[in-house]
Amino acid sequence: MESIPAADHSENLGKTGIEVITTHLNTDFDGLASMMAAKKLYPEAWLVFPGSQEQNLRNFFLQSTVYLYNFTKIKQVPLERIRRLILVDTRQPDRIGRFAEILNRPGLDIHIYDHHPAAANDIKGSLEMIKPVGATMTLMTRFLKEKNIPLTPDEATLMALGIYEDTGSFTFGSTTPEDYQAAAYLLEQGANLNLISDMLTRELTAEQISLLNQMLESATRHRINNLEIVVAKASIDAYVGDFAVLVHKMMDMENLDCLFALARMEDRVYLVARSRIREINVGEILLAFGGGGHPFAASATIKDQTLVQVEEKLMTQLKSRINPQRKAKDMMTFPVKSIQPGETIEHANELLTRYNINVLLVMENEKLLGLITRQVIEKAIFHGLKDLPVREYMTTEFSTIDPEASLFQIQEFIIENKQRILPVVKQGKVLGVITRTDLLNILISGPAMSEFLYDSRKAPHFVRKKNVGYLMEERLPRRIVQLLKSLGEVADHLGYNVYAVGGFIRDLFLKFENLDIDIVVEGDGINFAQEYAKRFPARIRYHTKFKTAVLIFPDGFKVDVATARSEYYESPAALPVVELSSIKMDLYRRDFTINTLAVKLNPRHFGILIDFFGAQKDLKERSIRVLHNLSFVEDPTRAFRAVRFEQRFGFKIGKLTANLIENAIRIGGIEKLAPKRIFTELQLILSEENPLPVIKRLIDLKLLQAIHPEWTLPPKGEALFNEIRTVLAWFDLLYLNETYEKWMIYFLALAQPVTQLMELRQRLGLPKKLFEIMILCRNEGEKVLMTLQKNPKLSRSEIYGLLSPLPNEVLLFLMAKTTQETGRKAISLYFTQLKSIRISIGGGELKDLGLVPGPLYKTILEDLLEARINGKVLTREDEIAYVKKHFSTQEENQTLTV
């Protein structure tokens, strides 16, 4: 584009001719700013609006010195005297009001400055400065800069405001590098960003809120040629300004890709459209209504038609102007590279290398059985599994698509479902495949899908965009929300990204109370914790090797801090080797997709949900799925966690994931686990609110038997687990301030079928204390139950003597196990009445009574406790009297006062 010739702005038009600068109807900030800039280039020209302006623009006049410029009303302009018409931000005859009447007059000189796409009925000028940038003001800025024309801060602010508004603060797909450069120049000239922000984010009036609410309630979704379009309507008698602002706000609130909004106000219908889809050019569609704009943003004002008429015409335009998309058959690659299920992993790797591809289809007799990726194959070879058949690790859960499927459907499968390759299948026959690379090549020429955004400062990952800040405010205690925000503030100070991750976020969606907060820092986790402790009341513990820390607050509340890291396993079932990484790689090392959600905590993006691996989809479908096919090979303990999560949340382990668990058992993965790791998982399982369903599922999957061949539920095992749950509920309601380990009681039940306890101890690495309790329960517990059952009339002290040597866990287990009422009553009596009985006097009082210290003291105290248990003594005085009566000698038979 050439610079403006100097002569164009200085020639003498004669005494009777005038110059007029104008723009489009419903003038916005870009139109106004461009008029002001044109005034700098044509100092003798009149500034004339062709009609109304948006409310935000009128508010700006009240706050700025712009009102000092001499704007002339259209009715005061002698149209017959106009010799030069300068059009800015438009070249559509339908959008310049009365000025359209003089367009065909001989001798009229027309100069045009515009950034909109060309249209068939565009006005032609002797000078046309047109370029597809984000705002017309971007063009005008270049001319002002070239001519070194000075600007006041107010002028620079207005001009920058035009660029910010028309580029959606540089977020619209039409934004160009030149827009950034123009804004930077205007900032150098003194543009006020605070005023710009205030004008663009002004609070809504009651009328605007009412209009927005109507739009939200009336919104209907239409699918045209497999593209989703939303049409919203509203009606109000009085004119309400800034309708375009409301449309933009609705787009953001509902995360829409394309919105056409119609509003009847007074005697006109206002139509505003926004699109984030390449195939829907809203500027072109709205030309039919006398409007215009960009492919991504456009507007029109329609007179003498009802809202219904405009909507009908809009639907007709949409159906005729939105072109059908390319079909899968047009995009697929063929012939297909495949492998037989019985071929080895090593051979699959050779095929990938030979054809330079990343995925193989697994086929037998032309039937598609599964997919296997380079990533899975390389990991399998790394773990020494190269000779195993492909069928062991192929993915059997995948989507296929019909050859007539649209680009929209293809992108949904590949991007939303995280599927690397999409087979094109018709009547069971594979015709071809579409890869992620194929899709990228198709989309690369168009704007990025709004559904994804670049989020990490470290690496360019596309992630699911959703703000859940409102959900956090709603479901978390206020102090927790404030804590999370403070973590984000510290991260910003250090230049880090920080995320809340894992079960805390998962349970936020599932509405489970969980305040065990884990955060991941893209940076140095320990440095982050240290900086936080300087600013807020918290102390830290840290682990240098793993770059982890714990923030401990004065009330004992803790937050676990981790440095974003990735893991690899040197051998199956080994502990992972950890390396520093990004948030995506950190989440990729997690066990299941439902645990891969993260929420960003930095102030600017607080509440943005990160979902790389389809966690929301699996939460919605209530599915437990691993992230990759070697997950259980690398860490077989994940199999136990899969079952625990499945039963806790009422989910279902995915078919492929269940097959991979079976594979891990078959190749001996569980047997290779360190005893302590298995025992830890069992403790967690038996600590669940109701562990029975988990145990039954472990047995169904043969996971329990993989730990010990004798391990299964005995015939009455299910009833015993249910009875334990009932007993524990009863015991908790007593509020006796007695502690017990819940998991241990269930473990005693689970160990019942095992005859070789020493073998089990070695397999699980059982702690010495637990093993001793197991032996005590098995030997003494059985004797105790038998004694209670055979002697229903035991005294209170006999019951006490029988039960007091046993830990609470053994007693509660025995209470659940026994089917005899006498045994249960005895244990209940012990807990509710006998166990808490204590005698009031001790060795000091016995000495004061004149008794010589020695073994006799033990005999006296035991006898006294028995008497107290049996109700023979009730008070301290009774105890003293009892001692005097039964243990005093003649030497001590005198009046003693204690």
Side-chain angles (χ1 to χ4, degrees), residues 347-395:
H347 181 57
N349 188 51
E350 291 170 359
L351 291 177
L352 292 177
T353 304
R354 183 186 308 166
Y355 298 113
N356 192 27
I357 55 178
N358 293 310
V359 188
L360 281 171
L361 272 60
V362 183
M363 299 179 64
E364 189 171 43
N365 299 324
E366 296 189 343
K367 182 180 180 181
L368 180 59
L369 303 180
L371 311 172
I372 189 160
T373 66
R374 180 183 294 277
Q375 186 179 34
V376 170
I377 288 171
E378 288 178 347
K379 282 194 173 187
I381 292 173
F382 183 78
H383 290 300
L385 306 174
K386 65 179 182 178
D387 295 323
L388 289 182
V390 166
R391 68 164 61 90
E392 293 290 345
Y393 297 109
M394 68 182 183
T395 295

Side-chain angles (χ1 to χ4, degrees), residues 55-68:
Q55 182 66 41
N56 258 5
L57 192 150
R58 293 197 291 273
N59 290 337
F60 185 81
F61 270 84
L62 299 177
Q63 297 183 26
S64 168
T65 58
V66 172
Y67 66 87
L68 295 176

Side-chain angles (χ1 to χ4, degrees), residues 49 96 183 321 428 476 492 687 693 850:
F49 288 117
I96 58 174
R321 289 185 175 270
L476 295 175
D492 258 14
S687 297

Side-chain angles (χ1 to χ4, degrees), residues 670-742:
I670 306 301
E671 296 170 12
K672 296 174 185 176
L673 279 171
K676 185 178 179 181
R677 298 191 69 200
I678 299 177
F679 180 60
T680 299
E681 290 299 327
L682 286 174
Q683 280 183 293
L684 292 171
I685 287 169
L686 296 175
S687 297
E688 290 287 311
E689 181 182 348
N690 183 14
L692 177 60
V694 187
I695 297 300
K696 290 172 67 177
R697 186 75 162 119
L698 289 176
I699 293 170
D700 289 342
L701 293 170
K702 297 183 171 53
L703 277 166
L704 212 55
Q705 299 91 312
I707 298 173
H708 192 286
E710 292 184 349
W711 226 349
T712 185
L713 276 178
K716 296 183 179 179
E718 187 170 337
L720 177 56
F721 265 72
N722 287 328
E723 205 55 53
I724 289 174
R725 194 178 182 201
T726 302
V727 167
L728 295 183
W730 163 80
F731 189 75
D732 290 341
L733 289 173
L734 294 177
Y735 298 103
L736 296 175
N737 200 27
E738 289 280 347
T739 61
Y740 65 89
E741 294 285 356
K742 174 183 175 180

Side-chain angles (χ1 to χ4, degrees), residues 12 53 122 232 299 332 338 353 368 383 474 543 605 663 737:
N12 186 3
Q53 307 92 44
D122 281 347
S299 63
M332 68 184 187
S338 64
T353 304
L368 180 59
H383 290 300
E474 176 185 307
H543 194 299
H605 301 108
N663 172 265
N737 200 27

